[in-house]
Amino acid sequence: MTPPRKLHIKSYGCQMNVYDAQRMVDTLAPEGFVETANAEDADLVILNTCHIREKASEKVYSELGRLRVAKDEAAREGRAMQIAVAGCVAQAEGEEIVRRAPVVDVVVGPQSYHHLPELLKRAGDKGRAIETEFPAADKFGFLAQPKPEAIRARGISAFVTVQEGCDKFCTFCVVPYTRGAEVSRPVAKIIDDVKRLADNGVRELTLIGQNVNAYHGEGPDGTDWGLGKLLERLAKIPGIARLRYSTSHPRDVDDSLIAAHRELGELMPFVHLPVQSGSDRILAAMNRKHTADDYRRVIDRFRRARQDIAFSSDFIVGFPGESEQDFLATLALVTQIGYAAAYSFKYSARPGTPAADMQETVSPAEMDQRLERLQELIDSQQSAFNKAAIGSTVDVLFERPARKDGQIVGRTAFLQPAHVMASPDIIGQILPVRIDSLERYSFLGELATPHGARESALSSIATGA
């Protein structure tokens, strides 16, 4: 028998890349590849890149420098190592990658992963293969499905891409250029994927897309379904206990999505809704197509539908032309909304985007100072949100053994980690936990249901009672 070839994938950035990495593993499995955690031992190393964050490209080239050493060492041992660059940096830079890093064998954009086996063969025959076009055919129709054992090994939570690309063209963002226009997968294909996951132990599902609530996939009835209707259908699939989605745009929150939060117990009351700034002037410069008040009204609609709902968001500080008054408007918005969590970043220009040509730059020192002030406010809100749970009993979906012997860790509806001392047989189950204390961002607690009652509860879950 031919020994398996070793595959190492390093992913950067968003949840979409995590999902894409898994699908690349599934696509290459029939070619004899198995995953390894050690890049130096691999026959194929794939850097699955992200172009959103600061100095994303330079991080990739730095990693390629280290891999060149590993590839040379493999050659001295008589092994042939191939190196591929995938993802958004690959899409954006294409042939520039192999010009700067000749060690690279394959460059493949995020819409062409299904061509990986062919590209690797072409690189082996001709020395290099590059594919960064947007193919006419939907890649999801060609990607290999994960094997049952692969699904089970990945745990009880899974991502499913339902939408890719973005038509919003925010002036700071490269996604429309690296991922293309908005495309939504047909409902039937998504249902098939979810049933396969549920049949192999997945209990929690996160639907992902660059602009996931712009989803408009073809339904079984021939009409376009929105995200709310899709969530309603997926909630009926046996085994799926929790549903989430990310990332959303404030302009695409429609009534059906609000209704889903009001009516579906499976849909978690935690929404990531990026606003980026609290200043209308900066929002207009970003081409966000919403105002701060528009955003507040969307938040109010969610809260009227479900009182316990919580939010996270993204913020950019130091966008070109941002004044102290603009920044104070952001702080005011954060104070008014009150977030369970949020992510803040200093603005960094992405080549090829309109904002990269804007001249009114904010000094690095001012960016640092504003980021510190904003993050301090965000941290205080997150801390208050977490501390409010101490002494209460909350439902936790248990995922895996924790680092401490005898502990099992799971997550609340708001994605807060919760640790309890328990048997591993609770993994995959949703059980009530009394929260006793908070250590940084993680809860410590005890199972609130006695063993016998817990077994009865589990029986009810299993039978759908």
Side-chain angles (χ1 to χ4, degrees), residues 302-323:
F302 276 113
R303 284 177 167 157
R304 284 194 296 270
R306 184 156 182 177
Q307 292 184 349
D308 65 340
I309 202 163
F311 299 93
S312 61
S313 191
D314 291 341
F315 295 90
I316 294 172
V317 302
F319 189 81
E322 182 188 65
S323 66

Side-chain angles (χ1 to χ4, degrees), residues 62-353:
S62 177
E63 185 68 23
L64 287 172
R66 287 188 286 271
L67 289 175
R68 179 182 59 78
V69 176
K71 187 172 184 176
D72 290 344
E73 180 62 28
R76 284 191 289 271
E77 296 172 356
R79 289 191 301 113
M81 175 190 286
Q82 288 185 297
I83 297 174
V85 178
C88 291
V89 172
Q91 186 72 44
E93 303 203 7
E95 293 190 5
E96 174 69 7
I97 292 172
V98 295
R99 187 190 69 79
R100 288 186 57 179
V103 69
V104 173
D105 301 283
V106 172
V107 178
V108 56
Q111 305 306 323
S112 300
Y113 296 145
H114 55 298
H115 293 157
L116 263 171
E118 173 192 332
L119 293 170
L120 291 168
K121 184 178 185 302
R122 192 193 313 167
D125 294 340
K126 299 182 178 180
R128 188 163 291 127
I130 301 174
E131 185 167 330
T132 56
E133 300 299 320
F134 290 107
D138 175 13
K139 71 181 180 185
F140 291 100
F142 299 93
L143 288 169
Q145 295 296 338
K147 294 181 179 179
E149 56 268 27
I151 297 173
R152 291 192 290 270
R154 290 167 185 165
I156 55 98
S157 297
F159 297 126
V160 172
T161 294
V162 300
Q163 180 272 342
E164 280 199 290
C166 186
D167 296 342
K168 293 296 187 289
F169 288 92
C170 297
T171 57
F172 56 82
C173 186
V174 298
V175 165
Y177 312 104
T178 59
R179 291 277 183 170
E182 290 176 358
V183 176
S184 297
R185 298 180 62 203
V187 172
K189 299 287 188 182
I190 297 168
I191 291 173
D192 286 346
D193 283 356
V194 174
K195 284 182 176 178
R196 185 178 299 105
L197 294 169
D199 288 345
N200 289 282
V202 169
R203 302 276 282 138
E204 179 179 67
L205 201 69
T206 302
L207 307 184
I208 56 175
Q210 271 82 33
N211 190 17
V212 70
N213 59 332
Y215 177 81
H216 55 277
E218 181 184 0
D221 56 2
T223 66
D224 276 359
W225 286 27
L227 183 61
K229 192 170 184 179
L230 175 64
L231 287 163
E232 181 183 354
R233 174 63 183 86
L234 297 181
K236 298 176 181 177
I237 294 177
I240 299 300
R242 286 183 169 182
L243 291 168
R244 304 181 187 274
Y245 59 90
S246 187
T247 290
S248 304
H249 193 288
R251 284 183 57 83
D252 290 317
V253 177
D254 62 14
D255 290 342
S256 72
L257 185 57
I258 297 294
H261 277 279
R262 182 172 57 247
E263 298 164 5
L264 299 179
E266 295 84 359
L267 182 55
M268 294 297 95
F270 189 41
V271 177
H272 185 62
L273 193 65
V275 63
Q276 306 300 355
S277 174
S279 162
D280 288 349
R281 192 176 72 86
I282 296 301
L283 289 170
M286 291 177 167
N287 196 35
R288 289 290 290 172
K289 299 184 176 71
H290 63 81
T291 65
D293 276 343
D294 292 336
Y295 183 83
R296 292 184 183 96
R297 283 191 288 270
V298 172
I299 295 289
D300 288 343
R301 289 167 63 202
F302 276 113
R303 284 177 167 157
R304 284 194 296 270
R306 184 156 182 177
Q307 292 184 349
D308 65 340
I309 202 163
F311 299 93
S312 61
S313 191
D314 291 341
F315 295 90
I316 294 172
V317 302
F319 189 81
E322 182 188 65
S323 66
E324 176 67 11
Q325 185 176 358
D326 294 320
F327 176 69
L328 290 175
T330 296
L331 293 181
L333 179 68
V334 174
T335 300
Q336 182 176 2
I337 300 298
Y339 290 99
Y343 308 93
S344 57
F345 308 95
K346 292 184 292 184
Y347 170 75
S348 62
R350 299 272 73 86
T353 60

Side-chain angles (χ1 to χ4, degrees), residues 367-381:
M367 281 197 206
D368 288 340
Q369 191 256 2
R370 289 177 186 174
L371 183 67
E372 183 177 353
R373 291 161 63 192
L374 175 58
Q375 196 59 52
E376 183 179 358
L377 176 58
I378 290 169
D379 288 345
S380 69
Q381 290 186 345

